[in-house]
Amino acid sequence: CFVFFFFKQKTAYEMQRGLVGSEMCIRDRYQRRVHGSLTIINGANIVARNAIKKLAPLFKSIKVCDYKPYRPSVYKLFQELEGKGAKLEKVMTTNTPSLERAMEGADKALYFTHDYFYLAPEKIKMIRVTASIAKKMGVKQLICICPIEYTHYSELRLSPFDTRIDSETKAMHVYPEMTLLRPNIIFGEESYNIRYLIQSLLAGRVIYPRLKDCGLQKYYPIHMNDVVQCIVHALSNDHIKGLEYAIRGENSITYDGILNVLAKHTENIHWEKCKRSITAGWLEKFFVGETHDKNLMQMIEWHERERQNFKNDWCYTDKFKIKQGPGFEAYYAASKANPANYAEPYLYKYKCIAIDQILTINSHIYICLLYTSDAAD
C-alpha cells in the first residue's frame, strides 16, 4: 500500500508577511487592504482622476480637492465610482484655510501639479504650502506627482528647471518625509500633451511652426496606466520617504519623432503641411489668457534650448521592478485616432475642452453651443 503526499509550493502571493521580500508582493498586499482616509490636492486633473479610479477600492474615504472641483469630468468620475469603494467628496480649495480643512484627519495625501495656466494658484508656491500644511495637520505620508508638462513655463521667468527644483527643495525641507515623483511626457487615450497634438494634427494645425527642428531634446514618454501603477505602489512603500524619482518610459524619442509617430496614428497626416494653430502671442494672451497650447510651445522651446538629461534621475519603475506596458511607438502603431473623439483646438474653446478632456460627440456639441462665435467656423 502506498500513500502519496503532495505538497503545493506557495506562490509569492500566498506567503506570510514576514517571508515576503519582493516589491510585487508589497504592492499586492496593499491593493487588497482597505485603508483610512486619503486627501488628493488638485485632484480634478486627468492624471489624478485616473489614479482615483485605482485607489477608490483601497480607501474608506477620499477627498478630491481642487481649485475647480465641480468640473464635468469630476462629476462623471464620481458617477462611475459610486458604490465601488471609498466615500468620495469634492472640496474646493482656493486658499490656505481651505487646504487646512481639506487635510484635516487625512492619513495620506497626494499632491498633483494642477492643470490650470490662467487665473489659478501659482504652481511653484502651491507645493510648498501643501507640504507645510501636511506637516502641520499630521499627515503620515505625502507624495507629490509633478509631470513635466504641467509646469507653467511662462510663470517661471528665469529657468523653469531651477525655479521648480528650488520650490520642491523648500517643500521637502518643510516636510522631509515627502516623496517626489516626476513623470515624463504622459501618453494614452487620456493624456494632456499628446492628446492635444493629435487634436492639432486632425485639425491640420500645429502649435509651433518649427517642430521639424525639435530633434535635440530626448523625452521618455510613459503611459498613463504605468504612471498610475507607480502612484499606487508608492503609497505602500515606506522606503521612499524623503526621496525623488522620475517616472519615465524605456525608450527615448525627440519631439519631431513624437509628431511623426502621431501623424501615422492620425491617418497619415503629415505635420509639416499643417498650418500654425495660434494667433500672435500677445493678442491671444490679451483675449483669453495663458492657454494650454501656448504653455506647451514654451515647454518645447525651453527643453530644445536646455536639453535636460532625464536619464540622470532615478527611475521608479527600474528601482522597484515595475513592468511597463507597450512603449510610445508600439502603442500608437497598433491603433488609429477616431476624429469623433477629438475637439478642434480653437483658442479658448479648446481651452475649455482641454481642461476636462471631453471624449464624446455630444459633449463636444454642447461646448460648441456655448461658444457660438467659434461654432460658426
Side-chain angles (χ1 to χ4, degrees), residues 120-176:
E122 288 187 63
K123 297 170 187 277
I124 58 176
K125 291 182 179 179
M126 195 166 185
I127 189 172
R128 300 201 303 263
V129 174
T130 299
S132 177
I133 294 174
K135 190 68 176 178
K136 176 182 176 181
M137 304 304 292
V139 175
K140 298 175 183 177
Q141 186 180 25
L142 173 64
I143 300 175
C144 298
I145 302 94
C146 305
I148 64 170
E149 57 201 281
Y150 282 1
T151 299
H152 197 168
Y153 285 84
S154 65
E155 181 182 74
L156 311 179
R157 300 299 179 188
L158 299 176
S159 167
F161 180 77
D162 293 338
T163 308
R164 190 196 70 197
I165 294 298
D166 178 66
S167 182
E168 292 168 352
T169 301
K170 289 178 179 177
M172 295 193 79
H173 178 74
V174 173
Y175 194 120

Side-chain angles (χ1 to χ4, degrees), residues 160-221:
F161 180 77
D162 293 338
T163 308
R164 190 196 70 197
I165 294 298
D166 178 66
S167 182
E168 292 168 352
T169 301
K170 289 178 179 177
M172 295 193 79
H173 178 74
V174 173
Y175 194 120
E177 301 85 7
M178 184 184 93
T179 302
L180 189 60
L181 303 178
R182 297 194 187 95
N184 212 275
I185 291 178
I186 302 171
F187 69 91
E189 285 303 305
E190 292 189 334
S191 61
Y192 156 53
N193 187 313
I194 300 299
R195 182 174 177 80
Y196 176 79
L197 294 177
I198 295 174
Q199 291 178 166
S200 299
L201 287 166
L202 289 170
R205 297 170 174 83
V206 292
I207 60 163
Y208 188 41
R210 295 176 54 206
L211 281 172
K212 63 181 180 180
D213 300 323
C214 295
L216 300 177
Q217 174 68 64
K218 291 184 178 179
Y219 299 90
Y220 293 82

Side-chain angles (χ1 to χ4, degrees), residues 2 5 10-11 28 38 62-64 86 114 137 139 157 189 193 200 213 215 232 260 268 330 338 355 369 377:
F2 297 94
F5 294 92
K10 288 186 177 182
T11 66
D28 183 69
L38 174 68
I62 297 178
K63 290 181 182 178
V64 180
H114 65 70
M137 304 304 292
V139 175
R157 300 299 179 188
E189 285 303 305
N193 187 313
S200 299
D213 300 323
V232 175
N260 283 326
N268 295 314
N338 180 4
I355 287 178
L369 291 175
D377 292 337

Side-chain angles (χ1 to χ4, degrees), residues 57-94:
L58 309 179
F59 285 86
K60 293 179 180 178
S61 64
I62 297 178
K63 290 181 182 178
V64 180
C65 311
D66 201 88
Y67 180 65
K68 298 178 181 179
Y70 304 107
R71 286 154 50 166
S73 56
V74 179
Y75 279 102
K76 182 181 178 181
L77 175 68
F78 276 44
Q79 290 174 354
E80 180 182 340
L81 297 178
E82 186 175 0
K84 295 183 179 179
K87 176 184 176 182
L88 301 176
E89 179 185 356
K90 293 185 285 290
V91 180
M92 180 180 290
T93 49
T94 58

Side-chain angles (χ1 to χ4, degrees), residues 212-360:
K212 63 181 180 180
D213 300 323
C214 295
L216 300 177
Q217 174 68 64
K218 291 184 178 179
Y219 299 90
Y220 293 82
I222 181 86
H223 195 278
M224 178 70 77
N225 292 342
D226 296 324
V227 174
V228 171
Q229 186 180 192
C230 290
I231 295 170
V232 175
H233 183 277
L235 281 167
S236 70
N237 195 342
D238 292 329
H239 303 293
I240 61 172
K241 291 183 178 180
L243 299 177
E244 307 172 25
Y245 292 94
I247 303 179
R248 60 173 180 262
E250 297 173 352
N251 301 315
S252 66
I253 189 171
T254 58
Y255 221 90
D256 58 352
I258 289 175
L259 264 293
N260 283 326
V261 171
L262 296 180
K264 295 177 183 178
H265 177 61
T266 52
E267 303 296 339
N268 295 314
I269 296 175
H270 202 283
W271 56 266
E272 287 186 331
K273 296 181 180 179
C274 294
K275 300 177 181 178
R276 188 174 181 180
S277 67
I278 59 173
T279 58
W282 66 268
L283 184 61
E284 177 193 18
K285 193 168 184 177
F286 177 79
F287 283 107
V288 297
E290 196 73 44
T291 54
H292 292 67
D293 50 4
K294 182 71 173 178
N295 189 73
L296 180 56
M297 182 178 73
Q298 292 169 333
M299 183 194 83
I300 297 169
E301 290 177 333
W302 187 85
H303 282 294
E304 283 297 304
R305 185 173 63 252
E306 300 295 330
R307 279 173 270 180
Q308 184 179 353
N309 186 358
F310 293 114
K311 290 287 283 185
N312 283 342
D313 301 323
W314 289 350
C315 182
Y316 197 92
T317 56
D318 292 345
K319 174 67 176 177
F320 299 103
K321 311 300 181 186
I322 297 177
K323 186 177 180 181
Q324 297 186 20
F328 179 78
E329 293 192 55
Y331 178 83
Y332 286 108
S335 60
K336 289 292 182 182
N338 180 4
N341 289 337
Y342 295 86
E344 291 193 13
Y346 285 136
L347 293 177
Y348 62 92
K349 184 177 74 174
Y350 172 73
K351 181 182 177 183
C352 182
I353 295 173
I355 287 178
D356 281 333
Q357 300 292 355
I358 296 173
L359 301 179
T360 63

Side-chain angles (χ1 to χ4, degrees), residues 3-17:
V3 179
F4 295 94
F5 294 92
F6 296 92
F7 296 93
K8 179 180 179 294
Q9 184 176 5
K10 288 186 177 182
T11 66
Y13 291 95
E14 297 169 318
M15 292 180 180
Q16 295 299 315
R17 184 183 185 92

